[in-house]
């Protein structure tokens, strides 16, 4: 038994080949998924619907949510724990959880590009998108089209994270107000200025 336990701790894919006694021991399974959340994919089905075990698994590896029973993917406590560990795990949650503002906020604060897995309404929610951009500039690529073409919003976005300038529409890279706001927030944003403004910027900054 001890040899088997040592082996499955090292290689969780061996769980299905362990004795029935081990596979059915909740304490052992809990210990394993606490150390390696992805082990949830190899445990027996009842454990994939066990709230305590799933919570332990997603707390260690948010994307272990993919292996959970459907009811667990609709459990707000579990989904929140998952997205706080890995924002991208929101893609494995049910629509109801993906459309939940609290869960969505937690996801984009952990990983900005989790925005891509949200519904249109949330991708058009200005405050949520700004949170995502603050965490990861590329997130602005996943904002809904109406926001991506909203000059006032783009200005707010680059003031949050100047590097978002790389991912905005071309016309905004040539907008002096937006460009200067982006560079003021992060000087590296100068790399993404439209060519027609680059010389002017270099001269004005004495480079």
């Amino acid at each position: 038994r001890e040899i088997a336990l040592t082996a499955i701790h090292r290689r969780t894919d061996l769980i299905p080949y362990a004795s029935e006694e081990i596979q059915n021991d909740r304490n052992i399974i809990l210990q394993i998924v606490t150390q390696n959340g992805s082990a949830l994919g190899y445990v027996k089905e009842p454990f994939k619907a066990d709230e305590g075990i799933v919570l332990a698994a997603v707390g260690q590896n948010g994307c272990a949510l993919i292996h959970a029973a459907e009811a667990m993917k609709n459990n707000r406590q579990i989904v929140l724990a998952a997205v706080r560990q890995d924002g991208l795990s929101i893609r494995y949650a049910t629509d109801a959880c993906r459309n939940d503002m609290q869960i969505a906020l937690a996801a984009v604060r952990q990983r900005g590009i989790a925005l891509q897995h949200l519904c249109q309404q949330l991708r058009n929610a200005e405050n949520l998108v700004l949170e995502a951009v603050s965490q990861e500039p590329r997130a602005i690529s996943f904002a809904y089209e109406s926001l991506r073409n909203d000059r006032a919003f783009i200005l707010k976005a680059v003031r949050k994270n100047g590097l978002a300038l790389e991912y905005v529409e071309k016309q905004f890279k040539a907008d002096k107000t937006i460009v200067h706001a982006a560079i003021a927030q992060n000087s590296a944003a100068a790399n993404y200025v439209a060519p027609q403004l680059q010389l002017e910027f270099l001269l004005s900054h004495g480079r």
Side-chain angles (χ1 to χ4, degrees):
R1 176 185 166 105
E2 291 306 314
I3 293 173
L5 286 174
T6 299
I8 61 177
H9 273 287
R10 290 176 178 169
R11 282 189 53 189
T12 57
D13 59 314
L14 296 177
I15 291 173
Y17 304 102
S19 67
E20 286 295 310
E21 178 190 5
I22 289 175
Q23 289 192 62
N24 292 319
D25 189 317
R26 185 180 185 277
N27 289 332
I28 289 175
I29 299 301
L30 182 59
Q31 184 182 35
I32 292 170
V33 300
T34 298
Q35 294 175 358
N36 184 345
S38 62
L40 189 66
Y42 300 105
V43 304
K44 290 195 170 186
E45 293 303 315
F47 291 131
K48 295 179 181 181
D50 182 310
E51 187 169 341
I53 285 174
V54 175
L55 194 58
V58 300
Q60 196 281 324
N61 180 344
C63 286
L65 185 64
I66 191 175
H67 303 300
E70 198 64 22
M72 299 294 99
K73 295 176 181 179
N74 197 46
N75 181 308
R76 289 188 79 256
Q77 181 187 7
I78 285 173
V79 175
L80 264 174
V83 301
R84 284 170 176 160
Q85 200 285 321
D86 185 338
L88 292 176
S89 66
I90 197 168
R91 60 188 153 173
Y92 304 123
T94 60
D95 288 346
C97 285
R98 285 204 308 273
N99 295 338
D100 183 297
M101 178 61 84
Q102 183 185 2
I103 291 172
L105 270 172
V108 301
R109 283 171 176 163
Q110 201 285 324
R111 191 71 199 275
I113 61 170
L115 187 68
Q116 67 187 295
H117 300 297
L118 305 182
C119 66
Q120 174 183 320
Q121 181 180 355
L122 291 180
R123 289 187 292 113
N124 200 33
E126 186 171 306
N127 290 338
L128 178 69
V129 177
L130 288 175
E131 286 281 354
V133 172
S134 295
Q135 202 282 326
E136 200 163 355
R138 187 161 67 98
I140 202 165
S141 304
F142 303 109
Y144 192 60
E145 185 178 2
S146 57
L147 282 185
R148 294 201 313 273
N149 289 295
D150 184 328
R151 182 181 183 276
F153 172 75
I154 297 300
L155 186 56
K156 290 179 185 178
V158 299
R159 283 173 174 163
K160 284 275 189 181
N161 191 332
L163 296 181
L165 188 67
E166 179 180 4
Y167 304 100
V168 302
E169 302 296 324
K170 287 183 179 180
Q171 68 267 27
F172 298 128
K173 296 182 180 186
D175 184 308
K176 291 183 181 181
T177 302
I178 288 173
V179 165
H180 284 292
I183 293 168
Q185 199 284 321
N186 189 322
S187 61
N191 294 317
Y192 311 116
V193 176
Q196 61 267 37
L197 285 186
Q198 284 180 352
L199 180 59
E200 178 183 335
F201 170 77
L202 291 172
L203 290 173
S204 67
H205 286 73
R207 294 185 183 183

